[in-house]
Amino acid sequence: MDREHCLAMGRTCVAYNLRRASRLVSQVYDQALKPTGLKVTQFSLLVSFVLAPDSKMAQLAQWLGMDRTTLSRNLRVLEKRGLVELEQGQQDRRQLKVRITPEGKKVFEQATPLWLQAQEEVVGGIGHEKWADLAKELRSLVAGLK
Amino acid sequence: MDREHCLAMGRTCVAYNLRRASRLVSQVYDQALKPTGLKVTQFSLLVSFVLAPDSKMAQLAQWLGMDRTTLSRNLRVLEKRGLVELEQGQQDRRQLKVRITPEGKKVFEQATPLWLQAQEEVVGGIGHEKWADLAKELRSLVAGLK
DNA sequence: CCATACTTGATGTATATACACGTAATGTAA
DNA sequence: TTACATTACGTGTATATACATCAAGTATGG
């Protein structure tokens, strides 16, 4: 395996390029959200709960492209802070329904303008149109895998 | 914060979109690399070591857009498996030089075709040209943050 | 030469992530 | 109804990730 091939792998590897970008980008958001004590991962989860109240875990994990068990553990962090509540399902006692609490809603509202600040900073780096393109292609990439 | 705004955040958040894509994409590569026991993160590190033998950690971390401490810990995993060696620098005794071992090279060579397989699968989902565009924009996104 | 600042890497701690496996609840077919 | 498969979620374990902090080595100004 010569140097040229290695260079090509580094330049083209989808996993590497995506992981690196998401590391750096996440740091910007995490920094901006710091006053709320939220990480961007947690903020994204809160968005989901506002969008889809009482959703079930498996369903949510599917939607987020996240392993069930990952979601489970990420939820526990939010639960410990009292930002979400977990309630056993009525019909099916295996199911857990997730609901955002008033406290969770408060923190979420507080976080929203901070999120926007990070978003502007990151998107500003390449321009809104370029990001719109990129987002579309990312979605089609994801769609091809699920 | 109404439903429309939440939907918009979900659709446009750079961190969310990148993290989701990198989760899913990483799984494809990890799956393909399974016979080698490597994760795609580790494979990427090996590529770096082949490209830049005897590089120093801080330098490498900068290049990879990765925190010093993250790299430090990721390296230990490879060291435990005997795939890389760490050697104290001569001039500056604080610096650690990283070198891939013969065993590391062997595993790397074994992993390369498996990587290619995953790469083809993922890139195939959107087409080589679209991915070339996407990669370019990702790089410019990253460049805007460093 | 010495005191102080800076650099380099490691550790403590916490979250994020997923696979393999386990348990409990539900569905289904005989 | 009972036996077995399926589904929903949790646990054990391991890696990935980064911030705050620490320790040790190096550089620099006096």
Side-chain angles (χ1 to χ4, degrees), chain B residues 76-89:
Chain B
R76 297 303 168 176
V77 176
L78 294 175
E79 195 194 14
K80 250 194 310 187
R81 255 192 83 180
L83 305 186
V84 302
E85 285 173 335
L86 302 177
E87 194 195 353
Q88 197 177 33

Side-chain angles (χ1 to χ4, degrees), chain B residues 19 23 27 34 57-58 68-69 72-73 76 94-96:
Chain B
R19 290 186 75 99
R23 274 195 299 269
Q27 284 178 48
K34 206 158 210 181
M57 290 205 33
R68 271 195 345 280
T69 66
S72 179
R73 283 180 156 111
R76 297 303 168 176
R94 290 169 303 182
Q95 290 186 339
L96 273 186

Side-chain angles (χ1 to χ4, degrees), chain A residues 25 28-29 116-132, chain B residues 12 14 140-145:
Chain A
V25 165
V28 176
Y29 286 80
L116 186 57
Q117 195 179 305
Q119 176 80 359
E120 295 286 346
E121 178 181 343
V122 171
V123 172
I126 59 169
H128 283 78
E129 286 166 39
K130 274 240 182 291
W131 167 240
Chain B
T12 64
V14 183
S140 95
L141 185 67
V142 165
L145 298 178

Side-chain angles (χ1 to χ4, degrees), chain B residues 109-126:
Chain B
E109 299 284 349
Q110 182 194 351
T112 300
L114 302 175
W115 169 84
L116 187 57
Q117 195 178 306
Q119 176 80 359
E120 295 285 346
E121 177 180 345
V122 171
V123 172
I126 59 169

Side-chain angles (χ1 to χ4, degrees), chain A residues 96-115:
Chain A
L96 273 187
K97 284 190 289 191
V98 188
R99 199 180 321 121
I100 191 167
T101 63
E103 172 68 11
K105 209 139 196 168
K106 205 184 91 193
V107 173
F108 172 66
E109 299 284 348
Q110 183 194 352
T112 300
L114 302 175
W115 170 84

